[in-house]
Amino acid sequence: MPIPSALYRLIFHSLEDQIAVIDQAGNILEVNLAWDNFGVENGLPSEYRCTDHNYLETLSDASAGGDSLAGEALQGIADVVAGKIAFFTLEYPCNSSDEKRWFTMRVTALHGDESGGLFVISHHNVTQRKLAEQRVEELAMQDPLTGLGNRRAFQQFFNKERRSSIRNQTPIGLMLIDVDYFKSYNDDLGHSAGDQCLTNVGQGLLAHARRPGDLAARIGGDEFAWILGNTKLEMVREIAESVFKSIIN
């Protein structure tokens, strides 16, 4: 039994993914309700009609304004339209004023279109997956006891700051902190006391490492390091003294 075309439209407008159909020139022929709603939610007036616009021209304008991802999307769509590739996908950020968001864009020829001149563009929200991936990555770079960066985070951050220091001809500061007699302290008072001692040191470092070019890390059992980007030696000494006082107090 054939499915009525009205049912197809109900399905089309019920999908959460934002979907548009364009022709070879990039003219938007049809969009679903999710596409329209997304535009309104992000500042477009309710009377705005996407079907009055050309998707490729919109991407071209954004690319000319410096949006490299728009340029990548424009080229990908052009390759699909030209038949060079069967489909094109692109993951991109699309943040609003109050939340971080990511979407995956997919472009393919419209199946069943005998003329071969229509194409489907869909945008799928992948924010939850992306946030979960970021959280896993953060945990992989963090010392679980102190909340500081771990050795891996230290090495990556140091390499980045060192390259920046060479490129910009700016100084870079490095502090190495070792807790004296920690083994004896740990053996005499127990591991809980030892963990609290390390946590206190970590809190003292975190309280001072506030700049984008700063990273405090635990690089060993009782060994800590602090990278201070674009910081002269005199300032490093002052900060080291302040950190020392905050920890012993």
Side-chain angles (χ1 to χ4, degrees):
M1 177 180 175
I3 299 176
S5 59
L7 181 57
Y8 279 118
R9 291 196 63 80
L10 286 174
I11 295 172
F12 180 63
H13 289 296
S14 297
L15 296 173
E16 292 185 3
D17 287 3
Q18 302 138 34
I19 300 175
V21 179
I22 66 171
D23 62 16
Q24 288 180 314
N27 297 309
I28 301 176
L29 306 180
E30 184 69 272
V31 298
N32 69 347
L33 188 59
W35 188 291
D36 275 336
N37 288 342
F38 185 79
V40 173
E41 290 168 1
N42 288 272
L44 290 179
S46 58
E47 64 273 12
Y48 184 90
R49 292 291 174 264
C50 294
T51 50
D52 294 335
H53 298 269
N54 185 291
Y55 194 70
L56 298 183
E57 290 178 359
T58 300
L59 288 176
S60 180
D61 291 343
S63 177
D67 188 338
S68 61
L69 288 176
E72 188 175 346
L74 181 63
Q75 184 60 55
I77 296 174
D79 289 343
V80 173
V81 170
K84 295 180 180 179
I85 54 178
F87 64 89
F88 170 75
T89 60
L90 175 67
E91 187 171 284
Y92 64 94
C94 182
N95 299 329
S96 67
S97 59
D98 58 351
E99 66 174 333
K100 292 183 177 180
R101 301 178 305 193
W102 287 265
F103 290 83
T104 296
M105 173 187 185
R106 179 180 173 88
V107 184
T108 186
L110 182 65
H111 297 303
D113 173 32
E114 296 180 358
S115 69
L118 300 181
F119 303 86
V120 178
I121 300 173
S122 65
H123 295 265
H124 177 64
N125 192 322
V126 294
T127 299
Q128 293 304 314
R129 173 180 64 79
K130 196 69 176 182
L131 290 175
E133 290 174 353
Q134 286 188 342
R135 181 55 180 160
V136 170
E137 185 176 349
E138 288 171 1
L139 291 174
M141 303 284 279
Q142 186 180 69
D143 174 57
L145 176 63
T146 63
L148 301 177
N150 58 18
R151 180 181 285 273
R152 179 184 175 194
F154 168 80
Q155 193 62 57
Q156 289 189 10
F157 194 86
F158 179 73
N159 289 339
K160 183 190 72 170
E161 285 298 316
R162 181 172 56 85
R163 290 192 296 269
S164 176
S165 176
I166 294 172
R167 182 173 61 252
N168 300 318
Q169 294 296 294
T170 54
I172 178 172
L174 175 62
M175 277 191 240
L176 298 178
I177 301 101
D178 191 350
V179 181
D180 290 340
Y181 311 113
F182 179 73
K183 186 178 184 306
S184 298
Y185 182 89
N186 204 43
D187 290 343
D188 292 343
L189 300 178
H191 291 292
S192 294
D195 286 349
Q196 187 59 55
C197 172
L198 297 176
T199 299
N200 291 343
V201 174
Q203 289 175 346
L205 293 175
L206 280 175
H208 288 77
R210 300 190 184 100
R211 303 176 306 169
D214 291 347
L215 176 75
R218 182 185 177 199
I219 58 175
D222 61 348
E223 298 173 345
F224 298 82
W226 186 2
I227 301 167
L228 302 98
N230 193 18
T231 306
K232 295 181 179 180
L233 180 59
E234 295 78 8
M235 180 61 69
V236 174
R237 286 173 174 161
E238 291 181 15
I239 295 174
E241 184 66 25
S242 178
V243 170
F244 176 73
K245 290 178 179 179
S246 70
I247 292 174
I248 63 174
N249 290 335

